[in-house]
Amino acid sequence: MSKNTELISKSLEKRHRSEKRFRFFGILGIGTAVIFLITILSSIFVEGKGAFKSTFIQLEINFDQEIIDPNKTNNPEEFKFANYKLLINDALKNYFPEVKDRKTFRDLSVFISSAAEQNLMKLAMENIEIIGESKKIWLLASSTIDVIHKNPQMENFLEEDRLINNIQMSWFNALKKNGDIKFGLNTNFLSNADSTEPEQAGILGSMLGSFFTLLVTLLLCFPVAVASGVFLEELAPKNKFTDFIEININNLAAVPSIIFGLLGLAIFLNVMHLPRSAPIVGGMVLALMTLPTIIISTRASLKAVPPSIREAAIGLGATKFQAVTHHVLPQSMPGILTGTIIGMSQALGESAPLLMIGMVAFIVDIPGSLTDSATVLPVQIYLWKSTAARGFVELTAAGIMVLLTFLVIMNSVAVFVRQKFEKKW
Amino acid sequence: MKETVKIKSKKLNVFYGEKKALSNINLEIPERKVTSLIGPSGCGKSTFLRCLNRMNDSIEICKVEGQIFVDEQNIYEKNLDPVLLRARIGMVFQKPNPFPKSIFENVAYGPKIHGLANSGDELNNLVEVSLKKAGLYDEVKDRIDEPGTSLSGGQQQRLCIARAIAVSPEVILMDEPCSALDPIATAKIEELIDELSKNYTIVIVTHSMQQAARVSNQTAFFHMGSLIEVGKTEDVFSMPKEKKTQDYITGKIG
Ligand SMILES: Nc1ncnc2c1ncn2[C@@H]1O[C@H](COP(=O)(O)OP(=O)(O)OP(=O)(O)O)[C@@H](O)[C@H]1O
Ligand SMILES: [Mg+2]
């Protein structure tokens, strides 16, 4: 062996060792990340899966004409003014005849959610023939009962820790023994907006709020950001002024998002008098926040396109603008879209700037347009998390599940779109 | 036969920032002939070539003084549109640079942006003729919709030539078009240059003395930013007037 070969083989040993060490740390890092991810996801799933079912109680409801339609009009519109609470109370009294005094009865009446009254009204209005008849109906239980039903171990808790007293517990057990209590699909969660009652609160309102907000963000942000990226990178002369702009765009990308919220409050609400809590304003604020991200990724992907493509087009007599729009931009589209999706994902998860413009309000109505009051998914999660009632715990986790699902969907769309663009060789 | 002059540079000086890349170049390029530019690396051949269709405009620090006349018109005049100029003076680059699109799209791009074809048929025809002129048609006629980047290096370079002639330029500039190619592909391109010189004025930069001798009618020797000698190719190679030219073609400087 020559002297050099010896030297090299000696140093090789060391180099191989350091490579192995690096590989070990890499695997360690990824392993830790995966464990954390699985822990977080599974704890969210375990906590949140309950939110997709709710408890129902079966009662024999007597659709008393005296109560529903005292004037005997047979006109469903008239049924709206009836007091359906009375029907439920009567049914409860029939079920538990031993409950006589008003105070004890109040403890019993909290079993049924107030949403059940709405359901009975709908039922009566849609089926007139039901008036005067008795029928067994599954009614939505209140959140308290739902919590007890979902956590059977609570029966053994001390009375004061249990949310319900011993008598209520015995009623609950009676219902259970008779098979008059069951789980059903929680349709409210995916079809309602927020509510003070956990069993009636839903995510649809904030989902649509997020959708409208992001729609505004995307429509404002994408064209403006791509156009500015193209202009700065390809067309603008390189001088002090454009350097200055470039530095400031990079700085903007690092500005804490809440500052954009303050800006939105000061300008969009106080000066321009746009509606408070509205997706259009939220979208504008998030667009400000997302602009620098997309501009920077646009410029980076434009830079990555080989200059020979530009030269080829310009050499053929294309204008600079044509060279960019025909060849450079399509080439850099995958990169631009990746940046856009990253920016939009950030915007979807953003809550701080939206608090500033009032999108944190308690909103019961599902937003139907860009100017309706609305809230967004992360703010809804925050709102539920900060509410004391026990029933909101699983809603919070379920809200996170919905938010994560949306993020996954958005990222898959990004992958799909990117592949579609890249397929053009 | 009296040669007509197609391109004429007059007192041309080019700077990259502070650095002078070309000084006082006076060169006449005859019409429908092949002119080769030779010289050691860094002497300014590419710079000169890129001045001829104002490709240097896109280099921010590049400054051009003096005049270049194409058909008696100064192309550095204020109101001349460099885009139109580049349609008249096509360019083929050192490294083949087809667009990442189909072979057809590559050739059709120039005619499309300049509106040279009135119908789809006309465009198809134009693409076919251009590919034929570039000697590529038979090799690609069955895969015209495949990406241009899927061709071999030599085919890509001929595709770039087809792309350039599709806009019917008057002049074709080639910057070391064969430097990335093997001898067979090179021979094909040289044949093609010979063929094209019947209709086009060609200026070619090359590092190969043999290539210059084979394809060109006129040869210009550059050294350190100056034009040392220009003349009929046979004359420059057989009895150079300048000592530097002699040294370069015999391999003493390079
Ligand atoms: N974009 C540029 N910026 C700054 N200087 C440049 C630029 N392009 C070329 N130069 C300089 O100008 C001089 C001439 O370069 P040019 O590319 O014209 O040489 P060349 O003769 O084509 O060389 P080669 O045979 O290696 O291609 C060189 O000294 C080079 O460093
Ligand atoms: Mg060169």
Side-chain angles (χ1 to χ4, degrees):
Chain A
M1 243 200 295
S2 82
K3 206 174 146 223
N4 264 353
T5 326
E6 230 169 88
L7 276 175
I8 290 171
S9 72
K10 234 190 240 160
S11 81
L12 254 186
E13 222 172 85
K14 211 168 141 193
R15 283 186 272 165
H16 283 320
R17 258 207 317 277
S18 84
E19 192 177 319
K20 260 194 199 135
R21 213 163 30 226
F22 182 78
R23 194 175 302 211
F24 171 75
F25 282 127
I27 291 172
L28 197 72
I30 290 175
T32 323
V34 167
I35 289 171
F36 273 117
L37 188 68
I38 290 175
T39 317
I40 292 173
L41 286 185
S42 52
S43 78
I44 288 172
F45 182 77
V46 167
E47 213 164 84
K49 69 178 192 311
F52 293 96
K53 57 185 182 181
S54 21
T55 302
F56 292 87
I57 292 173
Q58 182 171 244
L59 292 175
E60 173 110 30
I61 299 284
N62 178 15
F63 289 89
D64 191 348
Q65 190 165 27
E66 281 302 305
I67 293 172
I68 298 174
D69 190 19
N71 302 329
K72 310 213 172 18
T73 57
N74 281 340
N75 176 7
E77 286 303 310
E78 291 289 313
F79 300 176
K80 276 187 184 160
F81 310 106
N83 186 354
Y84 293 89
K85 180 98 180 148
L86 292 177
L87 298 184
I88 297 172
N89 286 350
D90 285 346
L92 281 171
K93 278 176 194 157
N94 284 338
Y95 202 102
F96 297 104
E98 72 274 18
V99 182
K100 289 270 161 34
D101 67 303
R102 291 188 58 166
K103 195 166 164 300
T104 329
F105 182 73
R106 213 179 302 137
D107 287 343
L108 179 58
S109 68
V110 299
F111 270 46
I112 306 294
S113 163
S114 60
E117 298 165 29
Q118 294 289 320
N119 289 344
L120 285 181
M121 176 174 89
K122 250 213 217 123
L123 196 68
M125 286 171 70
E126 280 162 15
N127 310 286
I128 299 188
E129 70 282 357
I130 215 171
I131 307 292
E133 292 191 6
S134 263
K135 207 169 170 219
K136 285 203 164 188
I137 308 245
W138 285 102
L139 299 170
L140 183 64
S142 71
S143 167
T144 318
I145 297 304
D146 188 49
V147 169
I148 300 287
H149 194 197
K150 280 172 184 161
N151 303 282
Q153 76 279 9
M154 284 177 94
E155 184 175 355
N156 308 322
F157 286 13
L158 291 175
E159 189 173 15
E160 56 265 37
D161 295 340
R162 199 205 278 137
L163 303 178
I164 59 175
N165 61 32
N166 287 339
I167 307 171
Q168 286 174 310
M169 194 70 223
S170 69
W171 293 330
F172 175 83
N173 285 332
L175 281 167
K176 209 166 161 185
K177 215 177 88 207
N178 298 339
D180 286 330
I181 194 158
K182 69 158 189 186
F183 284 120
L185 189 69
N186 182 0
T187 48
N188 286 340
F189 183 67
L190 288 177
S191 62
N192 279 7
D194 203 4
S195 163
T196 46
E197 307 302 326
E199 81 276 3
Q200 296 174 45
I203 197 94
L204 183 65
S206 50
M207 239 156 69
L208 284 177
S210 273
F211 173 76
F212 286 134
T213 307
L214 285 192
L215 189 70
V216 173
T217 306
L218 186 66
L219 291 183
L220 284 179
C221 211
F222 187 72
V224 174
V226 172
S228 2
V230 167
F231 177 74
L232 283 173
E233 191 59 40
E234 303 281 342
L235 305 175
K238 301 269 174 293
N239 56 29
K240 287 246 164 60
F241 181 64
T242 46
D243 280 351
F244 177 74
I245 288 179
E246 170 162 14
I247 291 170
N248 279 298
I249 287 173
N250 291 344
N251 283 341
L252 270 186
V255 167
S257 56
I258 195 154
I259 307 288
F260 290 109
L262 288 169
L263 183 77
L265 174 64
I267 293 178
F268 299 147
L269 296 190
N270 292 347
V271 176
M272 292 165 68
H273 297 293
L274 290 170
R276 181 172 285 274
S277 311
I280 185 158
V281 180
M284 283 158 83
V285 168
L286 292 180
L288 288 178
M289 192 194 84
T290 316
L291 262 176
T293 314
I294 305 186
I295 294 179
I296 289 171
S297 73
T298 301
R299 298 189 62 179
S301 8
L302 288 174
K303 262 201 196 104
V305 175
S308 62
I309 299 288
R310 272 165 262 240
E311 286 202 318
I314 290 185
L316 275 177
T319 61
K320 241 177 171 180
F321 186 66
Q322 283 176 322
V324 172
T325 49
H326 295 164
H327 301 287
V328 181
L329 205 54
Q331 283 277 295
S332 47
M333 235 1 162
I336 295 176
L337 289 176
T338 309
T340 306
I341 297 284
I342 290 174
M344 294 306 285
S345 307
Q346 240 171 24
L348 176 61
E350 197 58 72
S351 52
L354 301 179
L355 305 185
M356 292 292 118
I357 54 152
M359 289 191 87
V360 68
F362 171 73
I363 290 146
V364 190
D365 293 322
I366 291 170
S369 78
L370 297 178
T371 48
D372 286 351
S373 285
T375 187
V376 292
L377 286 169
V379 174
Q380 183 67 74
I381 291 167
Y382 163 77
L383 284 172
W384 282 342
K385 183 73 199 167
S386 52
T387 311
R390 175 68 199 258
F392 283 113
V393 173
E394 56 185 23
L395 286 183
T396 309
I400 295 172
M401 280 159 72
V402 170
L403 180 59
L404 289 181
T405 310
F406 271 84
L407 284 173
V408 170
I409 290 175
M410 272 171 74
N411 285 334
S412 328
V413 169
V415 171
F416 174 76
V417 173
R418 202 160 56 210
Q419 269 171 357
K420 196 147 187 207
F421 268 95
E422 268 168 1
K423 237 181 231 148
K424 289 177 146 188
W425 45 78
Chain B
M1 175 177 102
K2 178 82 185 72
E3 289 175 345
T4 39
V5 174
K6 182 72 183 173
I7 304 177
K8 187 161 72 183
S9 80
K10 251 190 181 166
K11 293 185 186 150
L12 186 74
N13 291 304
V14 180
F15 302 83
Y16 288 111
E18 294 293 297
K19 193 169 162 289
K20 197 165 188 178
L22 285 178
S23 57
N24 197 26
I25 307 293
N26 297 292
L27 180 61
E28 295 187 348
I29 290 165
E31 191 167 25
R32 287 169 216 264
K33 289 272 156 24
V34 181
T35 300
S36 61
L37 311 180
I38 60 170
S41 190
C43 67
K45 306 178 296 289
S46 298
T47 303
F48 179 74
L49 197 70
R50 293 165 61 91
C51 284
L52 299 182
N53 67 346
R54 292 188 55 176
M55 280 300 277
N56 280 341
D57 287 12
S58 53
I59 301 173
E60 212 118 324
I61 55 167
C62 180
K63 216 172 83 229
V64 178
E65 282 173 3
Q67 296 154 314
I68 293 177
F69 295 94
V70 175
D71 291 340
E72 309 294 320
Q73 190 194 16
N74 182 7
I75 60 167
Y76 280 92
E77 214 168 68
K78 274 244 159 53
N79 52 15
L80 183 126
D81 188 351
V83 173
L84 177 62
L85 177 73
R86 290 183 201 123
R88 291 172 58 201
I89 304 185
M91 190 159 198
V92 176
F93 298 83
Q94 176 169 359
K95 238 181 88 205
N97 57 354
F99 297 126
K101 299 194 161 150
S102 73
I103 295 172
F104 181 87
E105 286 293 325
N106 262 283
V107 183
Y109 182 67
K112 265 190 194 162
I113 55 173
H114 296 302
L116 298 184
N118 296 320
S119 65
D121 281 347
E122 215 171 308
L123 188 65
N124 288 343
N125 198 35
L126 189 51
V127 169
E128 192 181 316
V129 169
S130 307
L131 283 171
K132 274 184 180 149
K133 276 191 195 161
L136 190 61
Y137 185 70
D138 290 332
E139 287 160 72
V140 302
K141 63 172 183 282
D142 302 323
R143 42 195 286 212
I144 200 102
D145 291 317
E146 278 176 38
T149 40
S150 70
L151 297 172
S152 77
Q155 289 172 327
Q156 285 189 17
Q157 197 60 297
R158 277 180 285 151
L159 177 62
C160 291
I161 293 173
R163 181 174 69 185
I165 51 191
V167 287
S168 331
E170 298 152 31
V171 182
I172 302 175
L173 309 175
M174 301 184 176
D175 195 347
E176 300 181 41
C178 302
S179 68
L181 306 181
D182 67 46
I184 295 171
T186 303
K188 274 197 180 147
I189 303 241
E190 284 178 9
E191 236 171 76
L192 176 58
I193 291 171
D194 212 43
E195 184 63 33
L196 292 175
S197 66
K198 288 180 194 152
N199 299 309
Y200 303 91
T201 304
I202 294 175
V203 185
I204 176 171
V205 172
T206 177
H207 274 283
S208 154
M209 244 66 77
Q210 291 88 338
Q211 185 170 64
R214 278 196 299 266
V215 300
S216 67
N217 312 96
Q218 173 181 276
T219 297
F221 172 61
F222 284 72
H223 189 250
M224 312 228 334
S226 305
L227 177 62
I228 306 295
E229 182 168 351
V230 56
K232 275 214 168 68
T233 301
E234 308 92 87
D235 299 345
V236 172
F237 280 102
S238 56
M239 37 181 178
K241 296 195 201 86
E242 299 288 329
K243 171 105 185 10
K244 274 185 186 147
T245 318
Q246 169 97 44
D247 288 349
Y248 181 70
I249 58 181
T250 54
K252 279 188 195 144
I253 56 171

